Amino acid sequence: MGAVHNLPRVLMFLEAVPDGVVVLPADYLRGRYSGCAELLSLFGVQREWLVFLKRSQVLVAPSVWLINVPSQSGMPHPLVIDMYRGLRRLLARPSEKDEVRLLFIRRAVETREIANWGEFSSLLTRLGARVVTTQGGLGQQIDAWQSASTVSGVLGSDLTNMLLGRAARLFVITPEWFGDVFFYGLAAALGVEWNELVCP
């Protein structure tokens, strides 16, 4: 989710302060967050405009700008919506004959695991669904999300990848303890049909 929250902030900051430097976590250079830096480069953000800070490092600067998440009650600011739509257009590709009927995103964390996965997996097979995990680089995630117009999964940050694909509808399995409303606003802003099953 870092990319979805931070991409608009970085772009707005650099537009307002062209000679500014953006400080980002060093984690954005590798692992599951590496897609954040890759997305910034797609929008023309140069490597020299970025400073990647490790958790133990301290940076001293003459002035600092702190930019809050540009959303209200889970709904992105109109400028942010335009950026998100621009990203979708940038990544869009024609539909392919080998597209899958349904893409299911399987969470890689135990707190979102499906208890009866064996039975559920059999159902997905019968439906002709493609199952992918949350792991993988930006290119793999783009390929996965571009392969289907219907996507399902357990609610979590992985579903922000709706920005990367062409999904027209989502079927989301939501733990009832989940309280983040950001995804509803994101889906609405992109015109994605939201269907939800809330589970205890």
Short mmCIF file of all heavy atoms in Angstrom, two decimals, residues 32-55:
data_model
loop_
_atom_site.label_atom_id
_atom_site.label_comp_id
_atom_site.label_asym_id
_atom_site.label_seq_id
_atom_site.Cartn_x
_atom_site.Cartn_y
_atom_site.Cartn_z
N ARG A 32 9.18 -6.83 -0.81
CA ARG A 32 7.79 -6.61 -1.19
C ARG A 32 7.45 -5.15 -1.48
O ARG A 32 6.44 -4.86 -2.11
CB ARG A 32 6.84 -7.16 -0.11
CG ARG A 32 6.94 -6.46 1.21
CD ARG A 32 5.96 -7.04 2.21
NE ARG A 32 4.60 -6.79 1.80
CZ ARG A 32 3.56 -6.79 2.63
NH1 ARG A 32 3.74 -7.07 3.90
NH2 ARG A 32 2.35 -6.55 2.20
N TYR A 33 8.29 -4.21 -1.04
CA TYR A 33 8.00 -2.80 -1.28
C TYR A 33 8.76 -2.23 -2.48
O TYR A 33 8.64 -1.05 -2.78
CB TYR A 33 8.35 -1.97 -0.04
CG TYR A 33 7.54 -2.35 1.18
CD1 TYR A 33 8.14 -3.01 2.25
CD2 TYR A 33 6.19 -2.08 1.26
CE1 TYR A 33 7.40 -3.37 3.37
CE2 TYR A 33 5.44 -2.44 2.37
CZ TYR A 33 6.06 -3.08 3.42
OH TYR A 33 5.33 -3.45 4.52
N SER A 34 9.54 -3.05 -3.16
CA SER A 34 10.37 -2.54 -4.25
C SER A 34 9.55 -1.97 -5.39
O SER A 34 10.03 -1.12 -6.15
CB SER A 34 11.29 -3.65 -4.77
OG SER A 34 10.53 -4.73 -5.28
N GLY A 35 8.30 -2.40 -5.50
CA GLY A 35 7.44 -1.87 -6.55
C GLY A 35 7.18 -0.38 -6.40
O GLY A 35 6.87 0.30 -7.39
N CYS A 36 7.31 0.14 -5.17
CA CYS A 36 7.08 1.57 -4.94
C CYS A 36 8.06 2.41 -5.75
O CYS A 36 7.68 3.35 -6.45
CB CYS A 36 7.23 1.89 -3.45
SG CYS A 36 6.09 0.99 -2.38
N ALA A 37 9.35 2.06 -5.66
CA ALA A 37 10.36 2.81 -6.41
C ALA A 37 10.17 2.59 -7.92
O ALA A 37 10.38 3.52 -8.71
CB ALA A 37 11.75 2.37 -5.97
N GLU A 38 9.78 1.39 -8.31
CA GLU A 38 9.55 1.11 -9.73
C GLU A 38 8.41 1.96 -10.29
O GLU A 38 8.48 2.47 -11.41
CB GLU A 38 9.25 -0.37 -9.94
CG GLU A 38 10.42 -1.30 -9.66
CD GLU A 38 10.06 -2.75 -9.87
OE1 GLU A 38 9.81 -3.12 -11.04
OE2 GLU A 38 10.00 -3.50 -8.89
N LEU A 39 7.34 2.12 -9.50
CA LEU A 39 6.22 2.94 -9.95
C LEU A 39 6.63 4.41 -10.09
O LEU A 39 6.23 5.09 -11.03
CB LEU A 39 5.05 2.83 -8.96
CG LEU A 39 4.18 1.60 -9.08
CD1 LEU A 39 3.11 1.60 -8.00
CD2 LEU A 39 3.52 1.51 -10.45
N LEU A 40 7.43 4.89 -9.17
CA LEU A 40 7.89 6.28 -9.25
C LEU A 40 8.68 6.51 -10.54
O LEU A 40 8.53 7.54 -11.19
CB LEU A 40 8.75 6.63 -8.02
CG LEU A 40 7.99 6.78 -6.70
CD1 LEU A 40 8.95 6.92 -5.54
CD2 LEU A 40 7.04 7.97 -6.75
N SER A 41 9.50 5.53 -10.90
CA SER A 41 10.29 5.69 -12.13
C SER A 41 9.39 5.72 -13.36
O SER A 41 9.69 6.39 -14.35
CB SER A 41 11.34 4.58 -12.25
OG SER A 41 10.72 3.33 -12.46
N LEU A 42 8.25 5.00 -13.32
CA LEU A 42 7.31 5.03 -14.44
C LEU A 42 6.75 6.43 -14.66
O LEU A 42 6.38 6.81 -15.77
CB LEU A 42 6.15 4.07 -14.19
CG LEU A 42 6.42 2.57 -14.37
CD1 LEU A 42 5.18 1.76 -14.02
CD2 LEU A 42 6.84 2.27 -15.80
N PHE A 43 6.67 7.20 -13.57
CA PHE A 43 6.16 8.57 -13.65
C PHE A 43 7.27 9.59 -13.86
O PHE A 43 7.06 10.79 -13.70
CB PHE A 43 5.35 8.91 -12.39
CG PHE A 43 3.92 8.46 -12.46
CD1 PHE A 43 3.57 7.17 -12.12
CD2 PHE A 43 2.92 9.32 -12.88
CE1 PHE A 43 2.25 6.74 -12.19
CE2 PHE A 43 1.60 8.91 -12.96
CZ PHE A 43 1.27 7.61 -12.61
N GLY A 44 8.47 9.11 -14.18
CA GLY A 44 9.56 10.02 -14.50
C GLY A 44 10.34 10.54 -13.32
O GLY A 44 11.14 11.47 -13.46
N VAL A 45 10.12 9.98 -12.14
CA VAL A 45 10.88 10.42 -10.96
C VAL A 45 12.29 9.84 -11.05
O VAL A 45 12.46 8.61 -11.10
CB VAL A 45 10.20 9.97 -9.65
CG1 VAL A 45 11.04 10.36 -8.44
CG2 VAL A 45 8.81 10.59 -9.55
N GLN A 46 13.29 10.70 -11.09
CA GLN A 46 14.67 10.27 -11.25
C GLN A 46 15.26 9.77 -9.93
O GLN A 46 14.88 10.24 -8.84
CB GLN A 46 15.53 11.43 -11.77
CG GLN A 46 15.03 12.04 -13.07
CD GLN A 46 15.07 11.05 -14.22
OE1 GLN A 46 16.07 10.39 -14.43
NE2 GLN A 46 13.97 10.95 -14.96
N ARG A 47 16.17 8.83 -10.02
CA ARG A 47 16.79 8.25 -8.83
C ARG A 47 17.48 9.31 -7.98
O ARG A 47 17.47 9.24 -6.75
CB ARG A 47 17.79 7.15 -9.27
CG ARG A 47 18.59 6.51 -8.15
CD ARG A 47 17.68 5.76 -7.19
NE ARG A 47 18.42 5.07 -6.15
CZ ARG A 47 18.86 5.63 -5.04
NH1 ARG A 47 18.64 6.91 -4.81
NH2 ARG A 47 19.51 4.93 -4.14
N GLU A 48 18.09 10.32 -8.61
CA GLU A 48 18.82 11.35 -7.85
C GLU A 48 17.89 12.27 -7.07
O GLU A 48 18.35 13.06 -6.24
CB GLU A 48 19.73 12.16 -8.77
CG GLU A 48 19.03 12.85 -9.92
CD GLU A 48 19.04 12.01 -11.19
OE1 GLU A 48 19.13 10.78 -11.11
OE2 GLU A 48 18.94 12.62 -12.29
N TRP A 49 16.60 12.21 -7.32
CA TRP A 49 15.64 13.02 -6.56
C TRP A 49 15.21 12.31 -5.27
O TRP A 49 14.42 12.86 -4.49
CB TRP A 49 14.40 13.31 -7.38
CG TRP A 49 14.66 14.01 -8.68
CD1 TRP A 49 15.80 14.68 -9.05
CD2 TRP A 49 13.78 14.10 -9.80
NE1 TRP A 49 15.68 15.17 -10.32
CE2 TRP A 49 14.44 14.85 -10.80
CE3 TRP A 49 12.49 13.65 -10.04
CZ2 TRP A 49 13.86 15.13 -12.03
CZ3 TRP A 49 11.90 13.93 -11.27
CH2 TRP A 49 12.58 14.67 -12.25
N LEU A 50 15.70 11.10 -5.08
CA LEU A 50 15.26 10.28 -3.94
C LEU A 50 16.42 9.95 -3.01
O LEU A 50 17.54 9.70 -3.45
CB LEU A 50 14.65 8.97 -4.44
CG LEU A 50 13.51 9.08 -5.47
CD1 LEU A 50 13.15 7.70 -6.00
CD2 LEU A 50 12.30 9.77 -4.86
N VAL A 51 16.13 9.96 -1.72
CA VAL A 51 17.07 9.51 -0.70
C VAL A 51 16.39 8.38 0.06
O VAL A 51 15.29 8.54 0.57
CB VAL A 51 17.45 10.65 0.29
CG1 VAL A 51 18.28 10.09 1.43
CG2 VAL A 51 18.18 11.76 -0.44
N PHE A 52 17.04 7.21 0.08
CA PHE A 52 16.48 6.05 0.77
C PHE A 52 17.16 5.91 2.12
O PHE A 52 18.36 5.66 2.20
CB PHE A 52 16.65 4.80 -0.08
CG PHE A 52 15.82 4.84 -1.34
CD1 PHE A 52 16.36 5.29 -2.54
CD2 PHE A 52 14.49 4.44 -1.32
CE1 PHE A 52 15.60 5.34 -3.69
CE2 PHE A 52 13.71 4.49 -2.48
CZ PHE A 52 14.27 4.93 -3.66
N LEU A 53 16.38 6.06 3.17
CA LEU A 53 16.91 6.11 4.53
C LEU A 53 16.65 4.79 5.26
O LEU A 53 15.52 4.30 5.29
CB LEU A 53 16.22 7.26 5.29
CG LEU A 53 16.97 7.88 6.46
CD1 LEU A 53 18.26 8.53 6.00
CD2 LEU A 53 16.08 8.91 7.15
N LYS A 54 17.71 4.23 5.84
CA LYS A 54 17.56 3.02 6.65
C LYS A 54 16.98 3.39 8.01
O LYS A 54 17.07 4.54 8.45
CB LYS A 54 18.91 2.33 6.83
CG LYS A 54 19.49 1.80 5.53
CD LYS A 54 20.83 1.13 5.77
CE LYS A 54 21.43 0.62 4.46
NZ LYS A 54 22.78 0.03 4.65
N ARG A 55 16.41 2.40 8.67
CA ARG A 55 15.75 2.65 9.96
C ARG A 55 16.69 3.25 10.99
O ARG A 55 16.28 4.04 11.83
CB ARG A 55 15.16 1.34 10.50
CG ARG A 55 14.03 0.79 9.65
CD ARG A 55 13.62 -0.59 10.10
NE ARG A 55 12.70 -1.21 9.15
CZ ARG A 55 11.41 -1.33 9.34
NH1 ARG A 55 10.86 -0.88 10.44
NH2 ARG A 55 10.65 -1.90 8.43
#
